[in-house]
Amino acid sequence: MTPADRLETLETEYLAARGARDRLDVARATGEADPEGALEPAARVASDAVHQRLSTFLPSDEHDLAADDLRAYRTIRSGIVAADEYVLPVAPSLQGGDCDDRAGWDAAFAGGAGALREHTEACFGVQGDGLPYGGRRLTRLQVLGRLAVEPDPDTRMALFLALQPLWRTMDGGSGGRSPYRTLVREDAEAWHAGASPIAVNAAALGVTPDDIETWALTALAAWRAAVVEPARARGEPATEPWDWWWKAGAARRILEPIPLESVVLVNRSWYASLGADPAALRVHMDLEQRSGRPIVPTAFTTFGERPARRPDGSWSPGRPTILMSLTDGGIHELEELVHETGHAVHLAGIRTRPAYADWPDSDAFIEAIAEIAALDILEPAWLRRWLPGLPEVPGGTAIRSRYAEVALDAAWALFEIRVHATPERDPNEIWAEITSTWLGIRAHPEMAWWAIRGQLIESPGYMANYAIAAVLATALRAAIRSEIGDWTEGNRDWYPWMRAHVYRFGLERPSRDVIHDLLGRSLNANALLGEIARAVR
């Protein structure tokens, strides 16, 4: 066999190995039964087959491969190692009792950064799934959702303080030691050396880490100009942290309640109108916490099966799988589900050779793609079409509610950058400084309320992706509209166009090249600034 023939066989085996690992990971994440215990051995056998096939390639064989074949071969070599090591973001089982157990924390600190991160993430998931309040237990998302609709300030404060187990877990639930600050010190050297996740993402987008910090600051400055400074001019006091979601949630209060079944139905109808019916694309949605399903610290979407070309030349969309915990319904959960479904239809739209059948090389690009449809939620015209019968939401109110989340994400992005730049500083002080300066929130340096996002432990640097994604998504939306027109009422050209120009590449093309082709220019924050400015109308 020639090297090219062996590569063709290798790609087939690689796709099978990734599929076997996908099925194992999803079974673990969903708590699905595997009565014969066949999934883990199957994944191991399939991975071993790829490693064995790779061992037959000699260094000299690389000279006989065409340029794209050589890149595919190298992608497989790195990809199979990453696949063997990757663990889905599902909280691992706790060891040594509950999260107040001192011995368990002692063992986690003694075990090094990996053990500490795993234990903290597990406790964050456990605590966030059952926060005690008023004689019952609420999830983290339930608490944040209620802060947006609870009219009594004292009750909002009590709800907000119900989040304290999360920040004690991340910043001080271990007898005075801080897991987060310990991990920041561990990571700081790599961040200073330019090896931070933010630097890696910036390179994938063709920008610099300084650009990303500038975008975060620019978005925050736009929010301050559009929302904070006018409020100060009216003589309004600084916003207490527990009142942030209330002030940002005016549109959500107008739109409540939206039953859970309507959330699921509207999400499917919306994507179907764009030519991307989740059922037709075999999207599997595991949306409710239940006995036997491991705790999901943050919503996520993954491959259940990889897209693949069938023998007749048509394509299977695979089986994209969404894991999240919907609870009360409402517009916030609709936004979350639309975002995750954006990831799912992206995965279903990959059309490339097996070596490249994976997420793109930039997490920020991935998040931006999911926001292209999600940013329509709360637009008055979209609400009239897809949630008819609900009260009208004034345009400025809707935009403030939508972009308040973007502003808060930008604050978290800046927080991560500054915490890792100055690990000797108190994170509480950094967070108080950022939120008081840019968001108009009263400083409370005695509270570690920054510690309510699991990504800070699970994936350091990931919060910046949401801030970058807002810049990128608003720019991409404008470019896409210029090509296919508006899609508020539905537009079945949307998904075929997105598949052909955005989704299909996987790892085939660098994200920066896809972005440049779509925009025809370098990336900037102008579109986002224009959107935030609408908040004053």
Side-chain angles (χ1 to χ4, degrees), residues 396-421:
T397 300
I399 298 305
R400 283 192 295 276
S401 289
R402 184 65 187 87
Y403 286 95
E405 292 188 15
V406 171
L408 196 54
D409 284 344
W412 265 305
L414 188 61
F415 170 78
E416 286 209 274
I417 291 169
R418 292 187 172 175
V419 163
H420 284 86

Side-chain angles (χ1 to χ4, degrees), residues 6-18:
R6 293 204 304 277
L7 177 62
E8 184 176 354
T9 303
L10 173 63
E11 284 204 75
T12 300
E13 293 173 339
Y14 179 65
L15 185 65
R18 297 304 298 268

Side-chain angles (χ1 to χ4, degrees), residues 23-317:
R23 288 187 289 276
L24 174 61
D25 287 344
V26 168
R28 288 171 171 170
T30 59
E32 292 176 357
D34 180 20
E36 299 178 0
L39 291 177
E40 186 168 356
R44 190 180 307 114
V45 168
S47 176
D48 288 345
V50 176
H51 285 288
Q52 179 62 35
R53 183 71 58 180
L54 282 168
S55 71
T56 68
F57 281 81
L58 302 174
S60 58
D61 291 333
E62 297 190 17
H63 299 294
D64 296 324
L65 292 174
D68 188 58
D69 282 349
L70 177 59
R71 180 168 173 259
Y73 167 70
R74 289 173 174 170
T75 300
I76 291 171
R77 287 196 72 95
S78 60
I80 194 64
V81 173
D84 289 344
E85 295 176 348
Y86 178 65
V87 177
L88 283 175
V90 177
S93 299
L94 293 178
Q95 301 295 322
D98 63 29
C99 294
D100 294 322
D101 179 61
R102 179 63 180 268
W105 281 108
D106 287 344
F109 274 95
L116 180 58
R117 193 179 307 279
E118 181 177 280
H119 192 79
T120 307
E121 181 186 347
C123 285
F124 188 93
V126 169
Q127 300 283 23
D129 200 54
L131 295 162
Y133 176 77
R136 57 174 300 194
R137 292 188 177 274
L138 303 176
T139 68
R140 180 183 68 91
L141 288 179
Q142 282 180 305
V143 171
L144 295 178
R146 293 187 182 195
L147 284 171
V149 299
E150 172 54 55
D152 179 63
D154 291 337
T155 304
R156 288 199 297 271
M157 181 177 178
L159 273 165
F160 178 79
L161 293 177
L163 296 166
Q164 287 183 95
L166 295 178
W167 68 66
R168 284 200 303 267
T169 289
M170 197 179 292
D171 192 49
S174 52
R177 293 173 294 178
S178 168
Y180 181 74
R181 300 182 202 202
T182 300
L183 291 168
V184 164
R185 289 192 293 270
E186 291 275 348
D187 294 338
E189 183 176 347
W191 283 58
H192 279 294
S196 73
I198 293 175
V200 171
N201 240 322
L205 296 173
V207 299
T208 70
D210 287 344
D211 290 326
I212 292 172
E213 183 172 1
T214 297
W215 291 342
L217 285 166
T218 300
L220 289 168
W223 179 265
R224 183 170 67 179
V227 178
V228 177
E229 291 175 356
R232 286 174 177 166
R234 293 191 296 269
E236 296 178 14
T239 302
E240 293 290 354
W242 45 88
D243 292 333
W244 165 265
W245 287 269
W246 169 261
K247 288 193 173 182
R252 293 177 170 82
R253 292 193 293 279
I254 295 172
L255 296 171
E256 296 293 344
I258 302 172
L260 185 57
E261 58 270 19
S262 295
V263 165
V264 177
L265 178 61
V266 169
N267 176 67
R268 178 177 177 180
S269 299
W270 166 232
Y271 275 103
S273 79
L274 302 177
D277 184 348
L281 295 176
R282 300 185 67 225
V283 176
H284 176 62
M285 301 185 185
D286 192 323
L287 305 179
E288 296 183 22
Q289 189 61 50
R290 62 183 181 278
S291 176
R293 190 183 86 167
I295 292 169
V296 181
T298 54
F300 68 93
T301 300
T302 189
F303 293 97
E305 297 173 12
R306 306 265 158 164
R309 191 188 296 273
R310 301 184 180 102
D312 64 1
S314 65
W315 280 83
S316 163

